[in-house]
Amino acid sequence: MTPSPIRVAIVGAGPSGFFAADALLKAREDVRVDMFDRLPTPYGLVRYGVAPDHAKIKAVTKTFERTSGDSRVRFFGNVDVGKDVTIEELQARSHAVILSVGASSDRSLGVPGEDLAGSLSATEFVAWYNGHPEYVDLNPDLSGRHAVVVGVGNVAVDVARILSKSVDELRSTDAADHALDALAQSNVETVTILGRRGPAQAKWTTKELRELAELENADLIVDPAELELDPASEAVVADSPAAQRDMEILRAAAAQPPQGKPRRLTIRFFASPVALEGEEGHVRRMMVGKNRLEDRDGYLAAVATGEEETIPADLVLRSVGYRGVPLAGVPFDERKGVIPTDGDRVLDEHGEPIPGLYACGWISRGPSGVIGTNKPDAVQTVETLLAEPSLPEPDDASDEAIPALLASRGVRFVGVEGWMALDAAEMAAGEASGRPRVKVTSVEAMLEKAGSAGT
Ligand code: NAP
């Protein structure tokens, strides 16, 4: 039997953390949920990852607001678990800890010149235009004419779309003010998306691809020769209605002559970056290698043909996947960039479950799927937790234990009321200019708007 009431700490207040909290509240009346986040603000990638011009996707925060409004839930924002408090300290004050910290880093390309100025990860660029306080000073150089985005997933599509739109199309969004100012000065004229495999292997979703074909400010350019499919890719498309729709969009774009819009967005396939070349430390060109597909046990791999060309590249955004970062005191699989689990329970170095420690979302599963994909994942983790025959007995699971620990460390945390005050201030600032909100982008200003600590 699990204890009553049961106190669960959730580390990471992004979508997975909120879905886990909601599942706990629904499953048991006698539950207390403490949600922790490194930043003073909740919602993780919904706030700092979802593109500003995708307001509808952010509507999920309405559900999260209901969860945080439940009297059984507390929010401890601005608490860096692993630094301000340890996992062991949370375990000593909770019956169980769920880790839902997401994947905040990125994968690199591993090609020469990747570290030149002007070559960034899409992860950083996204965090910058979304007002993440740690990326306010990124200052991506938009003074050149040619941007290249590597990867054909939805993040690549997001950053390519933001670079292709006019700033006026973004002014009514919650993009950070510093990003709007910089994008207003952008000299970017061409944006090239590079897929290392073919159109049938692209990872984007149809809705996102279609938006690229409907941009007001940019012509979508696709080379019809790159849409010719080998038999294995034909079979992939024949089996997938989504891939068929994608091919229709791409073929229509390939057949359409450019309309003379201000920017050109080109999608290339079978093309990998081989090296970045610069002038005075700044990237200016990309050497691109042509690929063909090779069937490796059913996986169609990109294999270099040896044919290479050089394209102009003043800004390079690698968008080849997010990657989890280790959390102090918790096992980490460096190769996969995730916390090792059996699906729900965190595993120690012998592959044995660590009692009372769970993980869900990207840090457990890897960075895949849309926001909603994290719901069944979190629900399943909560079901596993609540079905345990027993949970470790904490030293002190009282309501006071965690606030007392934070107070003893001098950690100033933002509670639900503090977040609501900050949220209201941002929305009020937005209302004046017809935007959903004007984001506060420094931790100091967030703490000030949130007022004094409270839950
Ligand atoms: P992703 O979907 O995994 O796409 C990564 C892309 O990078 C793939 O095209 C992959 O190609 C390519 N890639 C990997 N290594 C490469 C290399 N060394 N050289 C060249 N290309 C390489 O990842 P993501 O775009 O970061 O998105 C993460 C998740 O968030 C996805 O599930 C995505 O759908 C989701 N998301 C959703 C939305 C939305 O719903 N609007 C928005 C943003 C993100 P291969 O296939 O060849 O490996």
Side-chain angles (χ1 to χ4, degrees):
M1 273 294 289
T2 49
S4 177
I6 178 175
R7 181 176 297 283
V8 181
I10 297 179
V11 182
S16 294
F18 269 94
F19 288 133
D22 183 53
L24 284 162
L25 298 177
K26 285 191 174 130
R28 274 178 69 153
E29 189 53 41
D30 59 340
V31 68
R32 303 288 177 272
V33 180
D34 293 327
M35 303 186 73
F36 295 82
D37 206 284
R38 196 159 65 86
L39 292 174
T41 49
Y43 310 152
L45 269 192
V46 177
R47 181 176 165 99
Y48 294 116
V50 173
D53 57 344
H54 277 176
K56 274 194 198 146
I57 299 181
K58 297 183 199 216
V60 68
T61 56
K62 287 276 163 245
T63 319
F64 300 162
E65 272 169 25
R66 273 200 296 280
T67 302
S68 59
D70 190 297
S71 60
R72 294 169 292 170
V73 174
R74 299 190 293 187
F75 177 55
F76 295 94
N78 197 42
V79 178
D80 195 346
V81 174
K83 285 194 186 133
D84 294 330
V85 294
T86 65
I87 290 289
E88 295 76 45
E89 286 167 336
L90 290 187
Q91 286 176 305
R93 289 160 183 81
S94 321
H95 296 94
V97 176
I98 299 177
L99 307 171
S100 50
V101 292
S104 56
S105 187
D106 61 275
R107 294 174 51 210
S108 57
L109 294 170
V111 300
E114 192 168 359
D115 296 330
L116 285 166
S119 162
L120 312 169
S121 74
T123 318
E124 295 170 286
F125 188 68
V126 167
W128 169 76
Y129 64 57
N130 277 326
H132 190 299
E134 288 160 10
Y135 295 89
V136 170
D137 298 323
L138 186 72
N139 294 327
D141 184 353
L142 306 175
S143 63
R145 289 167 52 213
H146 305 290
V148 179
V149 180
V150 182
V152 283
N154 277 336
V155 172
V157 171
D158 278 349
V159 298
R161 191 180 66 251
I162 295 294
L163 285 170
S164 299
K165 281 192 170 183
S166 71
V167 71
D168 288 337
E169 293 174 276
L170 298 170
R171 285 205 193 279
S172 59
T173 72
D174 65 359
D177 283 348
H178 58 250
L180 291 174
D181 291 346
L183 290 164
Q185 304 297 320
S186 168
N187 287 333
V188 171
E189 289 171 10
T190 76
V191 179
T192 304
I193 301 181
L194 290 189
R196 65 175 165 183
R197 300 191 289 157
Q201 288 78 37
K203 295 271 177 66
W204 52 46
T205 40
T206 306
K207 187 174 155 290
E208 277 61 31
L209 173 63
R210 185 170 291 122
E211 275 182 273
L212 297 187
E214 293 171 352
L215 289 170
E216 272 178 34
N217 199 50
D219 282 314
L220 179 60
I221 317 281
V222 182
D223 179 352
E226 292 181 351
L227 300 181
E228 279 167 24
L229 301 176
D230 61 292
S233 297
E234 288 273 18
V236 170
V237 174
D239 264 3
S240 160
Q244 287 159 28
R245 286 192 290 270
D246 292 354
M247 289 305 298
E248 272 170 36
I249 295 168
L250 292 167
R251 286 189 178 122
Q256 164 117 341
Q259 309 290 296
K261 294 178 184 177
R263 290 179 179 151
R264 286 164 78 95
L265 170 56
T266 304
I267 305 181
R268 300 273 314 264
F269 296 103
F270 308 106
S272 284
V274 175
L276 308 190
E277 296 169 351
E279 283 162 19
E280 294 169 11
H282 194 292
V283 67
R284 292 294 170 212
R285 290 172 300 280
M286 181 186 281
M287 210 197 279
V288 176
K290 196 168 168 48
N291 300 325
R292 61 180 172 78
L293 293 181
E294 190 174 282
D295 193 334
R296 293 192 182 148
D297 296 329
Y299 174 81
L300 295 171
V303 177
T305 62
E307 198 180 316
E308 289 177 358
E309 66 179 308
T310 300
I311 62 170
D314 304 303
L315 173 70
V316 174
L317 297 175
R318 61 178 183 277
S319 182
V320 295
Y322 283 78
R323 193 184 148 79
V325 291
L327 187 59
V330 179
F332 191 70
D333 182 331
E334 280 293 344
R335 200 176 59 79
K336 295 185 182 152
V338 298
I339 292 174
T341 66
D342 64 2
D344 304 314
R345 302 178 186 91
V346 177
L347 303 176
D348 67 14
E349 67 272 30
H350 308 294
E352 295 296 324
I354 300 174
L357 194 58
Y358 303 83
C360 64
W362 279 10
I363 195 59
S364 155
R365 202 178 72 238
S368 66
V370 294
I371 287 165
T373 315
N374 295 298
K375 187 169 181 175
D377 183 352
V379 167
Q380 184 198 298
T381 300
V382 165
E383 279 170 2
T384 301
L385 187 165
L386 294 177
E388 299 286 15
S390 67
L391 287 169
E393 189 53 40
D395 299 341
D396 179 3
S398 68
D399 283 347
E400 297 75 34
I402 285 169
L405 172 69
L406 295 174
S408 74
R409 296 275 156 81
V411 178
R412 185 172 166 199
F413 65 90
V414 172
V416 173
E417 284 170 12
W419 156 243
M420 282 167 61
L422 168 58
D423 186 39
E426 287 189 342
M427 288 196 294
E431 214 172 292
S433 46
R435 299 166 64 188
R437 67 178 63 237
V438 176
K439 283 184 184 171
V440 176
T441 58
S442 88
V443 168
E444 292 70 29
M446 286 176 185
L447 294 179
E448 193 192 306
K449 297 255 187 253
S452 56
T455 56

